Amino acid sequence: MPDVDPAIMIPEPSPSDARCRPDETAWALTQLAPGPASVQVLDSLYASRLSDAGLIDALIASERQLAMLQAKQQEFLADAARRDPDGELYFREEVACALKLAPVTAQDRLDTAVALTSRLWDTRELMDAGRLSYVHARILATAVEPLSDEVTAKVQTRVLRRADGQTSGEFRAAVRRRRLRHPRPGRAA
């Protein structure tokens, strides 16, 4: 008997399911939590064997896997930032070289990762579950950067309610609306 996700009662597909029933497998991967087993099955799908709907499902499934991996990457980046808070060990430059980024972009990624592993933990958890992209998370992290932890928590709670069904543009607008209700300290609304 195949493994079954107890939360939704969908059997975990196998690589042989991907070959025999590619569309059903792609759909199942959109419903199940992302993880190593799902990556293996996703890798067994061939685009040419999928129907139009199956191809879209495979894209959704792959996006969920990417979000999960990007959530994991945030842990690594945040730890690098915490090991070198003053920049004396040149971790920012090491990260820039490792990820082939400009140093200023690497610093932005490090800052976002620190936020996502601390005061924006709920956002990172949605990434880990494959329900929120890094793009969405970065939009939120950038917008709340100057806000207090208390206000950040309020903004995060409100915007995450519908985030997994929004495009990045829709999410940016929702964050902006919430952010405008809580102006930067010392500035008029």
Side-chain angles (χ1 to χ4, degrees), residues 33-119:
S38 295
V39 170
Q40 183 182 18
V41 174
L42 190 62
D43 189 46
S44 298
L45 287 172
Y46 292 99
S48 61
R49 300 201 59 218
L50 292 164
S51 68
D52 293 349
L55 185 60
I56 297 301
D57 285 340
L59 287 169
I60 292 168
S62 63
E63 190 69 16
R64 293 186 72 215
Q65 295 296 329
L66 288 170
M68 184 260 314
L69 289 170
Q70 287 175 321
K72 187 65 177 174
Q73 186 181 56
Q74 299 316 295
E75 291 179 36
F76 300 142
L77 287 167
D79 200 58
R82 289 183 183 107
R83 289 182 188 195
D84 189 18
D86 301 322
E88 295 174 4
L89 302 175
Y90 301 101
F91 262 65
R92 179 186 79 166
E93 289 75 13
E94 291 280 350
V95 167
C97 288
L99 300 181
K100 298 171 183 63
L101 301 171
V104 71
T105 304
Q107 186 62 55
D108 180 58
R109 296 274 299 270
L110 290 164
D111 293 343
T112 298
V114 168
L116 289 172
T117 58
S118 57
R119 64 191 202 145

Side-chain angles (χ1 to χ4, degrees), residues 151-183:
V151 172
T152 294
K154 289 177 184 177
V155 171
Q156 176 181 231
T157 298
R158 290 292 282 182
V159 299
L160 290 183
R161 288 181 186 163
R162 298 191 335 216
D164 65 346
Q166 294 176 320
T167 66
S168 57
E170 292 167 337
F171 184 71
R172 185 183 315 279
V175 169
R176 189 177 305 123
R177 283 191 301 276
R178 287 287 157 207
R179 169 74 176 76
L180 289 175
R181 292 184 183 173
H182 304 284

Side-chain angles (χ1 to χ4, degrees), residues 11-34:
E12 267 305 323
S14 68
S16 79
D17 292 327
R19 290 186 293 278
C20 298
R21 297 187 310 276
D23 287 338
E24 294 84 353
T25 299
W27 177 83
L29 292 174
T30 69
Q31 304 301 306
L32 298 170

